[in-house]
Amino acid sequence: MDAFTKLTGIAAPLPLANVDTDKIIPARFLKTIKRTGLGVHLFDTLRYDAEGKERGDFVLNQEPYRKAEILIAHENFGCGSSREHAPWALLDFGIRCVIAPDFADIFHTNTFKNGILPIKLSREICDQLMEDAKLGENARITVDLEAQMVVRPNGEKIPFEIDPFRKHLLLNGLDDIGQTLQHAPAIDRYEARQTPDKAWMPAIAV
Amino acid sequence: MKPRTLFDKVWDAHVVEQLPDGTCVLYIDRHLVHEVTSPQAFEGLRLAGRKVRRPDATIAVADHNIPTMGRAQGILEEDSRIQVDTLERNVAEFGVPYFPILSPQQGIVHIIGPEQGISLPGTTIVCGDSHTSTHGALGALAFGIGTSEVEHVLATQTLLQKPAKNMLVRVDGALPPGVTAKDIVLAIIGKIGTAGGTGHVIEYAGEAIRSLDMAGRMTVCNMSIEAGARAGMIAPDETTFAYVAGRPYAPKGAAWDQALAWWKSLPSDEGAHYDKTVVLNAADIVPMVTWGTNPEAVVPITGSVPNPADEADEGRRVQLARMVEYMGLSVGQKMTDLKIDVVFVGSCTNGRIEDIRAAAAVAKGRKVAPGVRAMIVPGSGIVRDLAEAEGIDKVLIEAGFEWREPGCSMCLGMNPDKLTPGQRCASTSNRNFEGRQGPGGRTHLVSPAMAAAAAIAGHLVDPRDFARPEFN
C-alpha cells in the first residue's frame, strides 16, 4: 500500500448523498481476480450512457476533473455492499482522498486499506469545499494528513479528526497484516485458552 | 460487574489484545469465503508467502455469479468461470473446506452457514459480503468485511477493530396477521433511514421479534446493513437452540451442553446501556414495499408515491425527484397500480424454505399473470431438495413460476439473471439501488408473500387479499 502524506490536487464535486457502492462500481464489473483496471468503470452508470458513450454532464467526464485526486460528496458515502472494488476503482481512477459529512462503515474501513484517506467534515464545510471544487483547475485543495488539515484555495485551514492508529498506518504505508502478526504470540495464547466459546466448537472439514 | 449487552458479551469474549488507542485484535471464529471477494485475498497470501491460519474455521462456496439453470454443463460466462475456477484452485492450494457447485450443501453463503450449523450463537463470524449480518439472528456477532480484511482473517484469524456502539430496536406487541419479518425490517429502515445504524450494532428485541422463527429473524438481521449498521443481533433463546440442535457442524453431546450453558448467558443484562433506542409498535406495521432507489424509500402497500416537493431539505428533494424519475413513477400514484414485469423470490434475505413455502401458499391453484416472468431461486441445494420433497416446486411450476438452482441470482445480477432496462421487478432481495438487478432495472423490495401475490395479480398488491385460511 502506498503511504499517504500530503496531497495537493484537483477536487471533483459530487453533490450526492447515499452514493452506494453499486453506483461506485456496479456488480457486473466485480468479476475480476485483480485489484487493478477498475478505474474505467468507476461510476459507470453515471459516467456512460446505454451505448457506452461518455455523458458530458457527469463531472469526471469534464476537464479538469478527469485528473481529480480528491472527491467531495454528501452524506453516507459508500453505503451498501462491502465490495473493496469500490475503493479499488477510485484508486485506479486516481482518487486518493474522499471528503464527505460521513461514510458507511465498511467502505470507510476499506479505503484505509488501500491508501485512500476518507475525511469527515460537516455538511456546511463540505458545501464550501464543493464550491471551491467547482472552480476547477484554479482551485486546488491541499490535504495534509500529518497536520490533519485541509487547506482551501483561499488558504483557510480546516482541521479534521482521524483515528491515530489508522493515521499511523496510512502515513507509513503499512500493511496491517504485518502489524497484527506482531501480536501472534497473543493470538496463540488466545487459541490455547479454554474460553467458554472455544472448547465446544467443532472443526469444519468436508 | 457493569451490566452488558449481548454485543458487549460476544465482543469481550473475543478480544485477543487491546492496543493503547483502544483498537482491539478481535478473534474470528468462523470465516465464510466466496468467489467474488476472495481472489485478491488469496493472491495477497501467496505473494507474502503466508498460509491460512485456521482452515478448520473457514468454509468456501461459490454463490454470487454462478448460473441458476443448467449448471451441470458448466459456467458459460468466461469471467464468472474464471472466478469460480480461481476459488477452486485457491481452496485446494490453501486447504480450505469447500462445498462444490453441484453438491447439495452449495448455496448462498448466508443461507448455508446457519443451515450447516457452521454459524453458531456467541461466535464471531465474518465474510467478504455485507449481508453477513444475517448470522446475527443466532446471537452471533457477524459482519461484512472487504477483501483486505478477508486476507487479514485468512492470515491471522483476527481483525483490528474498535467496538461499535450499541443500538436497541424494540418491536413491541404481536405482529398482525399477514405481516412478515420483511415488513418489520423495511418498516424499521423506513423509520431510522439508511444511515440510522452507522457505527452501531443493532440488537433487535421485543415481542414481535421474539415470536419470529429463525428464518424471519435472519431476514431482519440480514437487512441491518441497509440501515447502515455494522451488524444486527438477536439474543439466543429456545427457538435458536431448537434450530441449531442436530445440524451437521453444531456441537454434540457434552460439547452441546457446554455450548448451551454459554449461549444461555448471552442475553443482555438488565440495565445494560444502549447508545440509541428505537421503539416500533408491531400493530402499526403493514405489508411494506419500497418505491424508490434505496431501502428507506419505503411505503405501506396501501400507500402511494410521495411528492418530493413535500421534502424540506433541498438535497433530499433532488434525490427523491431523481428516484421518481428513475423508477418511472408519477407523484401520488398508488403502489397497487404499478404493473410488474418480473418477480424474483430468493436471495440471502428471503431464500429459505419458509420463504418458498410462503410464496407457494399464495401461488397454489393460481396462475402467474400473462406477461410476468416469475422466478424462484432457492437459497441452497438443501432448501431446493426440501421444497421438492414437500412438492412445493410442483405447486410453483404449475402456477407458472420458474424453479431454478441455488445462488445469489437476480439479487445483484452478476450471473445471467438480470433485469433489462425499464423492467419493473417485485423482488424479495435487499437492495433497490439504481441498476442493482441489471442496468436500468427498477426494483421494489417486498416479502415473499407479496412477491408471489404480485406475480399472480400482475401488479403490486396487498398479499393479505390473497391470504387463504388453509395455509395460516
Side-chain angles (χ1 to χ4, degrees):
Chain A
M1 180 181 97
D2 290 339
F4 187 108
T5 51
K6 192 173 179 178
L7 166 71
T8 298
I10 292 163
L14 189 69
L16 294 174
N18 299 310
V19 173
D20 56 74
T21 53
D22 277 85
K23 196 165 273 158
I24 299 172
I25 182 93
R28 59 189 180 279
F29 302 115
L30 309 189
K31 297 198 240 182
T32 171
I33 56 171
K34 296 188 298 185
R35 283 179 158 94
T36 51
L38 290 166
V40 66
H41 300 302
L42 176 70
F43 295 119
D44 194 86
T45 45
L46 295 172
R47 220 161 129 203
Y48 307 106
D49 65 16
E51 278 77 49
K53 286 208 280 290
E54 283 190 357
R55 295 181 199 269
D57 59 351
F58 184 64
V59 64
L60 297 184
N61 291 332
Q62 299 161 1
E63 294 299 347
Y65 304 109
R66 289 177 190 276
K67 300 190 294 284
E69 292 173 273
I70 301 167
L71 192 66
I72 321 251
H74 283 165
E75 289 80 1
N76 200 26
F77 190 87
C79 60
S81 148
S82 65
R83 63 189 66 165
E84 201 160 312
H85 308 69
W88 294 339
L90 286 165
L91 191 64
D92 200 54
F93 181 88
I95 304 282
R96 291 294 309 276
C97 174
V98 185
I99 303 176
D102 53 41
F103 296 86
D105 288 335
I106 307 177
F107 175 83
H108 189 249
T109 300
N110 286 343
T111 53
F112 283 103
K113 312 285 182 194
N114 291 282
I116 299 175
L117 173 63
I119 299 178
K120 291 184 201 181
L121 290 171
S122 71
R123 172 63 186 265
E124 194 189 348
I125 292 174
C126 286
D127 283 342
Q128 287 171 0
L129 293 171
M130 199 81 76
E131 290 307 313
D132 291 340
K134 286 178 188 164
L135 301 174
E137 189 88 63
N138 301 321
R140 295 188 177 227
I141 289 173
T142 295
V143 176
D144 184 342
L145 176 57
E146 178 72 58
Q148 293 183 218
M149 209 65 84
V150 174
V151 187
R152 294 180 61 191
N154 66 5
E156 185 192 344
K157 290 181 174 175
I158 301 162
F160 64 87
E161 296 293 316
I162 183 171
D163 179 282
F165 182 64
R166 284 175 159 168
K167 176 181 175 181
H168 168 72
L169 295 181
L170 209 47
L171 274 176
N172 298 289
L174 295 175
D175 159 17
D176 63 353
I177 296 178
Q179 294 298 300
T180 301
L181 287 174
Q182 293 176 7
H183 301 275
I187 302 172
D188 292 340
R189 283 196 300 278
Y190 179 88
E191 284 178 339
R193 219 155 65 200
Q194 289 292 304
T195 51
D197 61 326
K198 291 295 170 293
W200 50 264
M201 205 177 303
I204 305 170
V206 296
Chain B
M1 199 175 185
K2 192 168 146 253
R4 292 184 301 164
T5 63
L6 166 65
F7 164 70
D8 296 337
K9 293 180 192 187
V10 179
W11 176 273
D12 291 349
H14 291 84
V15 174
V16 171
E17 203 163 33
Q18 187 164 3
L19 311 184
D21 78 324
T23 301
C24 293
V25 180
L26 188 75
Y27 199 79
I28 302 303
D29 293 320
R30 296 294 194 217
H31 187 190
L32 316 170
V33 172
H34 66 84
E35 78 276 27
V36 176
T37 57
S38 69
Q40 298 85 353
F42 283 111
E43 182 65 11
L45 289 185
R46 204 175 282 121
L47 290 172
R50 290 171 177 145
K51 290 191 284 200
V52 175
R53 185 179 173 99
R54 290 279 314 274
D56 65 321
T58 311
I59 183 75
V61 73
D63 58 359
H64 276 62
N65 64 26
I66 54 171
T68 56
M69 281 299 225
R71 63 171 59 160
Q73 283 82 56
I75 302 172
L76 299 179
E77 293 180 304
E78 193 190 4
D79 42 8
S80 295
R81 189 174 64 245
I82 289 171
Q83 227 170 24
V84 173
D85 287 349
T86 303
L87 179 68
E88 294 189 341
R89 268 204 315 279
N90 285 331
V91 296
E93 180 182 339
F94 288 92
V96 170
Y98 172 66
F99 292 136
I101 291 177
L102 296 178
S103 79
Q105 290 98 334
Q106 182 271 340
I108 304 172
V109 66
H110 307 309
I111 303 272
I112 66 163
E115 189 173 78
Q116 293 293 323
I118 288 170
S119 311
L120 294 166
T123 57
T124 48
I125 304 172
V126 297
C127 173
D129 188 284
S130 60
H131 292 109
T132 309
S133 58
T134 312
H135 311 259
L138 292 143
L141 172 60
F143 51 91
I145 56 177
T147 298
S148 293
E149 291 193 314
V150 170
E151 184 182 341
H152 195 282
V153 176
L154 289 172
T156 70
Q157 205 57 33
T158 66
L159 280 174
L160 293 171
Q161 294 260 312
K162 278 196 170 154
K165 291 184 193 151
N166 280 287
M167 178 168 179
L168 178 68
V169 173
R170 217 175 62 219
V171 187
D172 289 338
L175 208 55
V179 179
T180 69
K182 186 65 165 282
D183 305 309
I184 295 180
V185 72
L186 287 173
I188 291 170
I189 298 165
K191 187 177 170 92
I192 69 175
T194 52
T198 302
H200 293 74
V201 167
I202 298 178
E203 180 179 341
Y204 300 95
E207 184 190 340
I209 300 291
R210 281 283 136 234
S211 68
L212 293 175
D213 61 12
M214 289 311 295
R217 294 180 187 189
M218 288 185 223
T219 300
V220 171
C221 288
N222 172 277
M223 290 193 71
S224 302
I225 184 70
E226 305 329 322
R230 196 82 176 107
M233 299 177 85
I234 295 175
D237 60 10
E238 292 305 322
T239 304
T240 320
F241 308 143
Y243 174 90
V244 173
R247 294 194 176 262
Y249 293 94
K252 298 185 174 65
W256 171 264
D257 297 336
Q258 215 177 345
L260 197 61
W262 152 244
W263 296 345
K264 285 184 171 173
S265 74
L266 291 174
S268 296
D269 299 328
E270 191 69 37
H273 172 75
Y274 294 93
D275 301 278
K276 255 190 201 178
T277 298
V278 173
V279 180
L280 282 83
N281 286 315
D284 298 339
I285 304 176
V286 296
M288 303 292 282
V289 55
T290 61
W291 66 268
T293 54
N294 71 34
E296 75 177 56
V298 65
V299 289
I301 183 64
T302 50
S304 51
V305 178
N307 188 350
D310 296 340
E311 175 62 46
D313 177 75
E314 196 206 332
R316 273 191 56 79
R317 199 156 58 232
V318 170
Q319 197 188 10
L320 294 185
R322 163 76 190 162
M323 288 186 187
V324 172
E325 186 199 335
Y326 179 86
M327 292 296 289
L329 304 170
S330 50
V331 170
Q333 199 170 14
K334 285 173 67 179
M335 294 311 291
T336 48
D337 285 346
L338 293 174
K339 289 206 170 9
I340 290 296
D341 304 300
V342 177
V343 166
F344 170 62
V345 176
S347 85
C348 56
T349 313
N350 283 122
R352 282 166 284 272
I353 186 69
E354 292 82 353
D355 302 311
I356 314 252
R357 285 180 191 139
V362 171
K364 187 166 187 177
R366 295 179 167 134
K367 290 283 177 206
V368 170
V372 173
R373 178 188 182 198
M375 314 163 55
I376 309 271
V377 181
S380 72
I382 287 176
V383 171
R384 175 200 58 208
D385 293 351
L386 192 54
E388 290 177 359
E390 292 178 11
I392 55 179
D393 61 320
K394 300 259 173 352
V395 168
L396 289 159
I397 291 165
E398 272 166 29
F401 287 80
E402 296 173 20
W403 180 248
R404 304 180 75 94
E405 296 289 329
C408 298
S409 183
M410 201 185 268
C411 174
L412 82 170
M414 278 193 76
N415 76 346
D417 309 338
K418 288 184 188 65
L419 296 181
T420 56
Q423 274 190 326
R424 188 177 301 283
C425 178
S427 177
T428 67
S429 55
N430 41 57
R431 289 195 176 124
N432 50 346
F433 299 153
E434 285 185 21
R436 169 80 177 180
Q437 295 189 290
R442 294 162 173 166
T443 304
H444 296 275
L445 301 178
V446 298
S447 69
M450 195 189 292
I456 306 296
H459 54 84
L460 290 175
V461 69
D462 192 332
R464 292 173 298 188
D465 298 343
F466 283 67
R468 285 186 293 208
E470 68 265 33
F471 294 109
N472 291 338

